[in-house]
């Protein structure tokens, strides 16, 4: 899985996450357009449709989680480096400001992991409600 994202600007990273979460945001629409109604059940392979959607969801979760964790590592390293610089030069106001900004970014990135858990739980609940007749994770 190759990850391409930018960790430097948190707002930009958040925009990237928002784009990566589109399938989760539109899960009900995706399920409504891909699963058959009672009258069309014989015409669509609901098992394959649910399996494919589940794989896309899992890929998205893994990709985003890896992206967030890598950016957390980058931010934590930056905080560590800036703390060392700040400790050696306590009168530097700009350095103190940069340190606090990076600390804030690190906390925001860490909170994104919690957001991911909430999104995943909500999406999988909806997915399971609609796909459980056709597909279970055990059937992989």
């Amino acid at each position: 899985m190759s990850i391409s994202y930018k960790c430097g600007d948190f707002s930009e990273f958040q925009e990237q996450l928002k784009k990566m979460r589109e399938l989760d945001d539109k899960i009900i629409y995706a399920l409504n357009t891909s699963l058959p109604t009672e009258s069309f059940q014989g015409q669509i392979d609901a098992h394959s449709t649910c399996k494919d959607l589940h794989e896309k969801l899992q890929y998205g979760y893994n990709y985003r989680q890896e992206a967030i964790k890598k950016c957390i590592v980058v931010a934590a390293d930056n905080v560590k480096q800036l703390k060392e610089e700040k400790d050696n030069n306590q009168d530097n106001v700009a350095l103190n400001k940069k340190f606090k900004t990076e600390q804030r970014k690190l906390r925001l990135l860490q909170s994104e992991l919690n957001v991911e858990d909430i999104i995943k739980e909500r999406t999988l609940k909806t997915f399971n409600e609609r796909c459980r007749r056709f597909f279970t994770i055990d059937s992989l």
Side-chain angles (χ1 to χ4, degrees):
M1 183 181 315
S2 76
I3 305 291
S4 61
Y5 46 82
K6 297 177 182 169
C7 298
D9 180 352
F10 182 74
S11 296
E12 188 176 330
F13 182 71
Q14 229 175 6
E15 279 300 312
Q16 291 172 329
L17 285 175
K18 184 178 178 182
K19 288 176 186 170
M20 289 186 262
R21 290 173 174 153
E22 282 182 358
L23 180 58
D24 292 89
D25 293 340
K26 297 176 182 176
I27 187 67
I28 293 172
Y29 176 78
L31 289 165
N32 285 343
T33 58
S34 35
L35 289 180
T37 58
E38 291 292 321
S39 58
F40 291 103
Q41 259 183 337
Q43 299 174 10
I44 297 172
D45 183 357
H47 174 79
S48 294
T49 301
C50 287
K51 181 181 179 194
D52 182 52
L53 184 56
H54 184 263
E55 287 171 358
K56 287 178 184 174
L57 289 169
Q58 289 301 328
Y59 177 82
Y61 300 143
N62 294 337
Y63 186 90
R64 292 191 309 260
Q65 185 128 14
E66 187 176 332
I68 294 166
K69 285 180 178 180
K70 285 194 178 208
C71 287
I72 286 173
V73 168
V74 169
D77 288 346
N78 289 344
V79 166
K80 183 180 176 184
Q81 178 188 353
L82 288 167
K83 181 172 178 10
E84 289 172 6
E85 289 178 32
K86 183 178 84 88
D87 289 347
N88 293 332
N89 192 0
Q90 294 182 358
D91 296 333
N92 189 332
V93 176
L95 191 58
N96 281 330
K97 185 178 178 182
K98 192 172 180 182
F99 173 71
K100 288 180 182 181
T101 300
E102 198 66 24
Q103 275 186 317
R104 186 173 25 258
K105 181 167 77 173
L106 177 58
R107 283 192 300 274
L108 290 170
L109 285 165
Q110 289 167 333
S111 72
E112 282 300 325
L113 287 176
N114 295 329
V115 170
E116 265 311 297
D117 288 340
I118 292 166
I119 290 171
K120 182 177 180 179
E121 183 179 322
R122 183 198 73 193
T123 302
L124 288 178
K125 180 178 185 245
T126 302
F127 173 85
N128 287 328
E129 286 171 357
R130 294 292 305 276
C131 280
R132 70 175 165 241
R133 290 188 341 209
F134 314 109
F135 171 84
T136 60
I137 295 167
D138 299 337
S139 64
L140 286 174

